[in-house]
Amino acid sequence: MAEIYSISMNKGGVGKTSLVTNLASILAKKYKKKVLIIDTDAQGNSSIAFGKNPYDFEYTIYDVMLGECTPKDAIRTMKRNIDLLPANDDMNFLEFDVLPHLDKYTRPYYLLKDGMKDIDQEYDYIFIDTPPSLGFVAGNCLTYANHVIIPFVPEMYDVKGLIRVVKAIAEFRNDYNPSLNVAGVIGMKVESNTALHSEMLQEARKYCNQSGIYMYETVVPKSIAFAKAVAYSNVPAILSSESKNKLVKSYDEVAKEFLINKPVKGKV
Ligand SMILES: Nc1ncnc2c1ncn2[C@@H]1O[C@H](COP(=O)(O)OP(=O)(O)O)[C@@H](O)[C@H]1O
Ligand SMILES: [Mg+2]
């Protein structure tokens, strides 16, 4: 049965999609794990990371959540051992299409979980790429997931923002999914040579330590080569770059930590 991870953070541009697509790619390629990526963000960037246009799919996660198709109708294989359940702009309308009809959709925060029933038998890991806000869709991701990983970019906001998100997730969990585990915070797009980044990371580590949250030792460095790979190569960076590249190395380390880290359910 798959372990289901939601990569969640209420900001755009923090590396959610990059983490999902690269970690999934390493687990599939190097460790031969069978992985499903579920995109729930209207921007459809997980498809784009694999060179696919999010508007070319007949069915998307929107249809699965509304019960208009099965997950298998919508899932497509991207690479060996990597399947994708895509999303597109339809997701921007989900809340509007559901909330006025609560007589029909009686469990609005469980649409993803209910729609994905039984599919977790087929995978080792399911990664959910989420939208940049903690709203209706993000809530659906947190009720379906067993674990949540939070990307933290030191330059974009301070540790208070991280604490706020962890608290919001913990509160949501208590109401909707008590066994959800905060499986880790991970530094993304880090410039280790700047004092600001180092200080903020240290502060984040201190908070995580005190709160019993795992913070990845590895940080993913900021890399211009990465942005180029995303723009030109139609595959996640770790599949297109040389293994000596510092970014590829860091994702390798992230994958190792990910596999070692046996999370304790229900902490925080
Ligand atoms: N390690 C990195 N170094 C430099 N740029 C990065 C890195 N990781 C992601 N990016 C870039 O930052 C932007 C946002 O990343 P993305 O993964 O799409 O974030 P999100 O899904 O949280 O919005 C993208 O343009 C991506 O190419
Ligand atoms: Mg994204």
Side-chain angles (χ1 to χ4, degrees):
M1 224 168 90
E3 291 291 330
I4 306 167
Y5 284 80
S6 178
I7 312 300
S8 302
M9 173 42 94
N10 64 334
K11 301 269 192 309
V14 296
K16 291 183 294 299
T17 303
S18 309
L19 182 61
V20 165
T21 54
N22 283 290
L23 184 55
S25 297
I26 295 184
L27 294 173
K29 192 176 173 196
K30 190 167 172 187
Y31 296 95
K32 312 290 178 230
K33 303 288 186 192
K34 185 117 177 68
V35 181
L36 171 67
I37 296 171
I38 303 176
D39 196 357
T40 64
D41 183 8
Q43 295 181 78
N45 285 344
S46 276
S47 309
I48 294 168
F50 288 95
K52 300 278 188 279
N53 180 339
Y55 294 95
D56 283 349
F57 298 99
E58 187 178 355
Y59 296 111
T60 66
I61 190 63
Y62 173 91
D63 304 297
V64 174
M65 289 175 79
L66 293 192
E68 285 165 12
C69 74
T70 67
K72 285 205 169 155
D73 294 331
I75 289 172
R76 293 288 171 267
T77 298
M78 293 293 113
K79 294 270 162 205
R80 192 183 192 143
N81 287 335
I82 309 177
D83 287 355
L84 171 72
L85 207 170
N88 62 27
D89 187 51
D90 282 349
M91 282 308 267
N92 278 327
F93 298 89
L94 187 81
E95 197 169 336
F96 254 53
D97 293 344
V98 166
L99 292 188
H101 306 288
L102 291 179
D103 47 335
K104 184 173 173 196
Y105 306 108
T106 52
R107 284 161 41 99
Y109 275 122
Y110 294 88
L111 294 176
L112 181 61
K113 186 176 172 130
D114 293 348
M116 295 301 294
K117 233 188 334 221
D118 299 334
I119 205 75
D120 57 337
Q121 305 293 337
E122 318 222 344
Y123 297 94
D124 296 307
Y125 294 104
I126 296 177
F127 290 101
I128 315 172
D129 191 8
T130 67
S133 62
L134 285 184
F136 180 65
V137 174
N140 264 275
C141 299
L142 294 176
T143 51
Y144 177 46
N146 315 124
H147 312 281
V148 53
I149 296 180
I150 301 170
F152 174 73
V153 178
E155 77 181 359
M156 293 180 65
Y157 49 97
D158 56 19
V159 177
K160 274 191 198 137
L162 174 66
I163 296 171
R164 183 78 187 83
V165 163
V166 170
K167 288 208 164 123
I169 290 174
E171 262 171 44
F172 185 88
R173 175 195 61 191
N174 295 342
D175 291 340
Y176 290 95
N177 183 9
S179 63
L180 178 71
N181 159 57
V182 179
V185 171
I186 177 164
M188 297 289 293
K189 298 168 82 169
V190 172
E191 294 174 84
S192 299
N193 54 349
T194 72
L196 177 70
H197 276 211
S198 304
E199 269 167 36
M200 279 188 156
L201 274 177
Q202 234 171 4
E203 240 187 276
R205 279 193 200 288
K206 197 167 138 202
Y207 163 69
C208 288
N209 261 336
Q210 286 168 350
S211 318
I213 302 169
Y214 184 77
M215 181 151 177
Y216 277 74
E217 286 297 328
T218 312
V219 297
V220 175
K222 188 167 189 170
S223 150
I224 300 302
F226 179 91
K228 277 195 194 149
V230 172
Y232 301 117
S233 65
N234 291 341
V235 285
I238 74 109
L239 296 180
S240 67
S241 310
E242 289 179 40
S243 58
K244 61 181 189 312
N245 176 306
K246 70 173 177 179
L247 189 93
V248 174
K249 274 194 191 145
S250 75
Y251 269 116
D252 249 343
E253 292 301 315
V254 169
K256 276 187 205 153
E257 271 194 74
F258 174 88
L259 289 167
I260 292 169
N261 179 21
K262 290 268 174 286
V264 189
K265 288 201 172 164
K267 264 186 128 184
V268 181

